[in-house]
Amino acid sequence: MRTVQATMSDVMCNGEEEEISLDCDYLIVGAGAGGMSFADVILSDSAHTVILVDRNAAPGGHWVHAYQFVRLHQPGSYYGVASEPLTPPDDPNYRNTGAEIVAYYAHVLAKLVGSGRARFYGGCDYRGDGTFRSSDGAGRRRAYRVRVRKRIVDSTYQDITVPATRGPRFPVASAATLRPVNALHGLRRSASPTRGTGPVDAATRFVVLGGGKTGVDAVLHLLSAVGVAPARITWIVSRDPWLTVRFPYVDAAEVLLHGTDMLLHFRGGATVAEFLHRQEAAGMYARLDPDVEPTASRCATVGREELTTLRRLRSRIVRQGRVVAIEPHRVVLERGPPLPFDAAATLFVDCTADGLPQRAPVPIWQSEKTGGGAAAHGTIVLQPVAMCLTAFSAAAIAKAELLCGATGDDRDRETFDMRVVPRPVRVGDEVRALLYAMNN
């Protein structure tokens, strides 16, 4: 048994098989946007120590596996950690690329570890109760047990997934070619995309599966970056979404005023539908097709020019529910007749991963004891406390944790009346989310 003091050279968990004891104030499980934001506030505003554990070798969470042409839907000023701006100083409205975000979190991690009060263990499998394991790929393993003085912080509860890390949940015939959205990177107009990157054959047809943020990005990329004609794209959308129209970056006070305006639109309305239509009339919300009433709302955001581009596919959207199966020459959907396709000339683009699933809210601060074990002071389960703002929410929870002191008594935190803001999924969810967010 020995205690390891990690340095940047110890970032990857590997080495001979052994059991190692560690200690820290906060053990943070997951080094994505939430975990990194929480760690940043703890280290910036206190003298506490943290250990970050992640199954990925690098920080950044789902961004490590995201498709190469992804960008933030909102200005980067709303993202990242509190102590290190993500956007350029002269452009608060800049929307960072996925590659820039991964590089940003690598930089932030180096800064945190450089403080001497943070350690990062990547490529590790967290087992619960302050224990995790690693492997160097050659069969040599390490088992770690952490003595946690304050809290274990679970930043994985939201379970964010991307198509590259989760295959389709329906059967796909071997004759059909289905790829995650990442496969669209590098395509250009005029060899077949099923063989990898390169020019697109003039006969290739694309079927985009999914109408969420990833589906929106895939369609915009095919139309704008690759230059595919709308007639060669079919978009299967199980439920039309309400889209938030992107506005320039505003500070916190203006965000509050914006939320107040939204509530004023709700006042006097007989139904949620009336509220949403008022939002649409005010230029805050939009839909893929002005003639189709949306039934979903998932925080996807578009600019006005992007909305115009998306509407070029109005006649190419298939609204027959979710995909049930892709058979050799047809797609079986929940409703209506199967959709035929030419297997030799069709690329299915998988955008069906539920990137932001709606999880049942649980208490953020949990004081369950474990008989003096690693979780003697309980856990913190990171969840949204602001509408669709993961990084900001984690930072706010960390700030509340520090302001309440180290009593371990969650009653101190009741003074904040901080509620979990449920992620919108169905039409109407955003009204409840807005009310909870403004309360916080």
Side-chain angles (χ1 to χ4, degrees), residues 245-285:
V245 177
R246 185 182 304 117
F247 281 88
Y249 168 76
V250 295
D251 61 24
E254 290 178 281
V255 169
L256 182 60
L257 290 175
H258 178 69
T260 302
D261 287 341
M262 293 177 70
L263 290 178
L264 290 175
H265 289 153
F266 188 67
R267 187 180 65 178
T271 64
V272 170
E274 287 185 10
F275 163 73
L276 295 170
H277 293 163
R278 291 178 182 180
Q279 290 286 89
E280 183 180 27
M284 296 179 179
Y285 284 5

Coordinates of all heavy atoms in Angstrom, one line a residue, residues 245-285:
V245 N -34.0 30.3 -31.3 CA -33.3 31.2 -32.2 C -32.1 31.8 -31.5 O -32.3 32.4 -30.4 CB -34.2 32.3 -32.8 CG1 -33.4 33.2 -33.7 CG2 -35.4 31.7 -33.5
R246 N -31.0 31.7 -32.0 CA -29.7 32.2 -31.4 C -29.7 33.7 -31.4 O -29.9 34.4 -32.4 CB -28.5 31.7 -32.1 CG -27.2 32.0 -31.5 CD -26.0 31.5 -32.3 NE -26.1 30.1 -32.5 CZ -26.3 29.5 -33.7 NH1 -26.3 30.3 -34.8 NH2 -26.4 28.2 -33.8
F247 N -29.4 34.3 -30.2 CA -29.2 35.7 -30.0 C -27.8 36.0 -29.6 O -27.1 35.1 -29.1 CB -30.2 36.2 -29.0 CG -31.6 36.4 -29.5 CD1 -32.5 35.4 -29.4 CD2 -32.0 37.6 -30.0 CE1 -33.8 35.6 -29.9 CE2 -33.2 37.8 -30.5 CZ -34.2 36.8 -30.4
P248 N -27.3 37.2 -29.8 CA -25.9 37.5 -29.3 C -25.8 37.4 -27.8 O -26.8 37.4 -27.0 CB -25.8 39.0 -29.7 CG -26.8 39.2 -30.8 CD -27.9 38.3 -30.5
Y249 N -24.6 37.2 -27.4 CA -24.3 37.0 -25.9 C -24.7 38.2 -25.1 O -24.6 39.3 -25.5 CB -22.8 36.8 -25.8 CG -22.3 36.8 -24.3 CD1 -22.6 35.8 -23.5 CD2 -21.7 38.0 -23.8 CE1 -22.2 35.8 -22.1 CE2 -21.3 38.0 -22.5 CZ -21.5 36.9 -21.6 OH -21.2 37.0 -20.3
V250 N -25.3 37.9 -24.0 CA -25.7 38.9 -23.0 C -25.3 38.5 -21.6 O -25.0 37.3 -21.4 CB -27.3 39.1 -23.0 CG1 -27.8 39.7 -24.4 CG2 -28.0 37.8 -22.7
D251 N -25.1 39.5 -20.7 CA -24.7 39.2 -19.4 C -25.8 38.6 -18.5 O -27.0 38.5 -19.0 CB -24.0 40.4 -18.7 CG -25.0 41.6 -18.6 OD1 -26.2 41.3 -18.5 OD2 -24.5 42.7 -18.5
A252 N -25.5 38.3 -17.3 CA -26.5 37.6 -16.4 C -27.7 38.4 -16.2 O -28.8 37.9 -16.2 CB -25.8 37.3 -15.1
A253 N -27.6 39.7 -16.0 CA -28.7 40.6 -15.8 C -29.7 40.6 -17.0 O -30.9 40.5 -16.8 CB -28.3 42.0 -15.5
E254 N -29.1 40.6 -18.2 CA -29.9 40.6 -19.4 C -30.6 39.2 -19.6 O -31.7 39.2 -20.1 CB -29.1 41.0 -20.6 CG -28.7 42.4 -20.6 CD -27.8 42.8 -21.8 OE1 -26.6 42.4 -21.8 OE2 -28.3 43.3 -22.8
V255 N -29.9 38.2 -19.2 CA -30.5 36.8 -19.2 C -31.8 36.8 -18.4 O -32.8 36.3 -18.8 CB -29.5 35.8 -18.8 CG1 -30.3 34.4 -18.6 CG2 -28.4 35.6 -19.8
L256 N -31.7 37.4 -17.2 CA -32.9 37.5 -16.3 C -34.0 38.3 -16.9 O -35.2 37.9 -16.9 CB -32.5 38.1 -15.0 CG -33.6 38.2 -13.9 CD1 -34.1 36.8 -13.6 CD2 -33.1 38.9 -12.7
L257 N -33.7 39.4 -17.6 CA -34.7 40.2 -18.3 C -35.3 39.4 -19.4 O -36.5 39.5 -19.7 CB -34.1 41.5 -18.8 CG -33.7 42.5 -17.7 CD1 -33.0 43.7 -18.4 CD2 -34.9 43.0 -16.9
H258 N -34.5 38.6 -20.1 CA -35.0 37.8 -21.2 C -35.9 36.8 -20.7 O -37.0 36.5 -21.3 CB -33.8 37.1 -21.9 CG -34.2 36.2 -23.0 ND1 -34.7 36.7 -24.2 CD2 -34.1 34.9 -23.2 CE1 -34.9 35.7 -25.0 NE2 -34.6 34.5 -24.4
G259 N -35.6 36.2 -19.6 CA -36.5 35.2 -19.0 C -37.8 35.8 -18.5 O -38.9 35.2 -18.7
T260 N -37.7 37.1 -18.0 CA -39.0 37.8 -17.6 C -39.8 38.0 -18.8 O -41.1 37.9 -18.8 CB -38.6 39.1 -17.0 OG1 -37.7 38.8 -15.8 CG2 -39.8 39.8 -16.5
D261 N -39.2 38.4 -20.0 CA -40.0 38.6 -21.2 C -40.7 37.3 -21.6 O -41.9 37.4 -22.0 CB -39.1 39.1 -22.3 CG -38.6 40.5 -22.2 OD1 -39.3 41.3 -21.4 OD2 -37.6 40.9 -22.8
M262 N -40.0 36.2 -21.5 CA -40.7 34.9 -21.8 C -41.9 34.7 -20.9 O -42.9 34.2 -21.4 CB -39.6 33.8 -21.7 CG -38.5 33.9 -22.7 SD -37.3 32.6 -22.5 CE -38.2 31.1 -23.0
L263 N -41.8 35.0 -19.6 CA -42.9 34.7 -18.7 C -44.0 35.7 -19.0 O -45.2 35.3 -18.9 CB -42.4 34.9 -17.3 CG -41.5 33.9 -16.7 CD1 -41.1 34.2 -15.3 CD2 -42.2 32.5 -16.8
L264 N -43.7 36.9 -19.5 CA -44.8 37.8 -19.9 C -45.6 37.3 -21.1 O -46.8 37.5 -21.2 CB -44.2 39.2 -20.2 CG -43.7 40.0 -18.9 CD1 -43.0 41.3 -19.4 CD2 -44.8 40.3 -18.0
H265 N -44.9 36.6 -22.0 CA -45.5 36.0 -23.1 C -46.5 34.9 -22.6 O -47.5 34.6 -23.3 CB -44.5 35.4 -24.1 CG -43.8 36.4 -24.8 ND1 -42.5 36.2 -25.3 CD2 -44.1 37.7 -25.2 CE1 -42.1 37.3 -25.9 NE2 -43.0 38.2 -25.8
F266 N -46.1 34.2 -21.5 CA -47.0 33.2 -21.0 C -48.2 33.7 -20.3 O -49.2 33.1 -20.3 CB -46.1 32.3 -20.0 CG -46.8 31.0 -19.6 CD1 -47.1 30.0 -20.5 CD2 -47.2 30.9 -18.3 CE1 -47.8 28.9 -20.1 CE2 -47.9 29.7 -17.8 CZ -48.2 28.7 -18.7
R267 N -48.1 34.9 -19.6 CA -49.2 35.4 -18.9 C -50.4 35.7 -19.8 O -50.2 36.3 -20.8 CB -48.7 36.7 -18.2 CG -49.7 37.3 -17.2 CD -49.2 38.6 -16.6 NE -49.1 39.6 -17.6 CZ -48.7 40.9 -17.3 NH1 -48.4 41.2 -16.0 NH2 -48.6 41.8 -18.2
G268 N -51.5 35.3 -19.3 CA -52.7 35.5 -20.1 C -53.0 34.5 -21.2 O -54.0 34.5 -21.8
G269 N -52.0 33.6 -21.4 CA -52.2 32.6 -22.5 C -53.0 31.4 -21.9 O -52.8 31.0 -20.7
A270 N -53.9 30.9 -22.7 CA -54.8 29.8 -22.2 C -54.1 28.5 -22.2 O -54.4 27.6 -21.4 CB -56.1 29.7 -23.0
T271 N -53.1 28.3 -23.1 CA -52.4 27.0 -23.2 C -50.9 27.3 -23.4 O -50.5 28.4 -23.7 CB -53.0 26.3 -24.5 OG1 -52.6 27.0 -25.7 CG2 -54.5 26.1 -24.4
V272 N -50.2 26.1 -23.3 CA -48.7 26.2 -23.6 C -48.5 26.5 -25.0 O -47.6 27.2 -25.4 CB -48.1 24.8 -23.2 CG1 -46.7 24.8 -23.7 CG2 -48.1 24.6 -21.7
A273 N -49.4 26.0 -25.9 CA -49.2 26.2 -27.3 C -49.3 27.7 -27.6 O -48.5 28.3 -28.5 CB -50.3 25.5 -28.1
E274 N -50.2 28.5 -26.9 CA -50.3 29.9 -27.2 C -49.0 30.6 -26.7 O -48.5 31.5 -27.4 CB -51.5 30.5 -26.4 CG -52.8 30.1 -27.0 CD -54.0 30.9 -26.2 OE1 -53.7 31.7 -25.4 OE2 -55.1 30.5 -26.5
F275 N -48.4 30.2 -25.6 CA -47.2 30.7 -25.2 C -46.1 30.5 -26.2 O -45.3 31.4 -26.6 CB -46.8 30.1 -23.9 CG -45.3 30.3 -23.5 CD1 -44.8 31.5 -23.1 CD2 -44.4 29.2 -23.6 CE1 -43.5 31.6 -22.7 CE2 -43.1 29.3 -23.3 CZ -42.6 30.6 -22.8
L276 N -46.0 29.3 -26.8 CA -45.0 29.0 -27.7 C -45.2 29.8 -29.0 O -44.2 30.3 -29.6 CB -45.0 27.5 -28.0 CG -44.6 26.6 -26.8 CD1 -44.8 25.1 -27.1 CD2 -43.1 26.8 -26.5
H277 N -46.4 30.0 -29.4 CA -46.7 30.8 -30.6 C -46.3 32.2 -30.4 O -45.9 32.9 -31.4 CB -48.1 30.6 -31.0 CG -48.5 29.2 -31.5 ND1 -49.8 28.7 -31.6 CD2 -47.7 28.2 -31.9 CE1 -49.8 27.5 -32.0 NE2 -48.5 27.1 -32.2
R278 N -46.5 32.7 -29.2 CA -46.1 34.1 -28.9 C -44.6 34.2 -28.9 O -44.0 35.2 -29.4 CB -46.6 34.5 -27.5 CG -48.1 34.7 -27.5 CD -48.6 35.1 -26.1 NE -50.0 35.2 -26.0 CZ -50.7 35.5 -24.9 NH1 -50.0 35.7 -23.8 NH2 -52.0 35.6 -24.9
Q279 N -43.9 33.2 -28.4 CA -42.5 33.2 -28.5 C -42.0 33.2 -30.0 O -41.0 33.8 -30.3 CB -41.9 31.9 -27.8 CG -42.1 31.9 -26.3 CD -41.1 32.8 -25.6 OE1 -41.3 34.0 -25.4 NE2 -39.9 32.3 -25.3
E280 N -42.7 32.4 -30.8 CA -42.3 32.4 -32.2 C -42.6 33.7 -32.9 O -41.7 34.2 -33.6 CB -43.2 31.3 -32.9 CG -42.9 31.1 -34.4 CD -43.7 30.0 -35.0 OE1 -44.9 29.8 -34.5 OE2 -43.3 29.4 -36.0
A281 N -43.7 34.4 -32.5 CA -44.0 35.7 -33.1 C -43.0 36.7 -32.7 O -42.7 37.7 -33.4 CB -45.4 36.1 -32.7
A282 N -42.4 36.5 -31.5 CA -41.4 37.5 -31.0 C -40.0 37.2 -31.5 O -39.1 37.9 -31.2 CB -41.4 37.5 -29.4
G283 N -39.9 36.1 -32.3 CA -38.6 35.8 -32.9 C -37.7 35.0 -32.0 O -36.5 34.9 -32.3
M284 N -38.2 34.4 -30.9 CA -37.4 33.7 -30.0 C -37.4 32.2 -30.3 O -36.4 31.5 -30.0 CB -37.9 33.9 -28.5 CG -37.8 35.3 -28.0 SD -38.5 35.5 -26.3 CE -38.2 37.2 -26.1
Y285 N -38.5 31.6 -30.8 CA -38.6 30.2 -31.2 C -38.9 30.1 -32.6 O -39.4 31.1 -33.3 CB -39.7 29.5 -30.4 CG -39.4 29.2 -28.9 CD1 -38.2 29.6 -28.3 CD2 -40.3 28.5 -28.2 CE1 -37.9 29.3 -27.0 CE2 -40.0 28.2 -26.8 CZ -38.8 28.6 -26.3 OH -38.5 28.3 -25.0

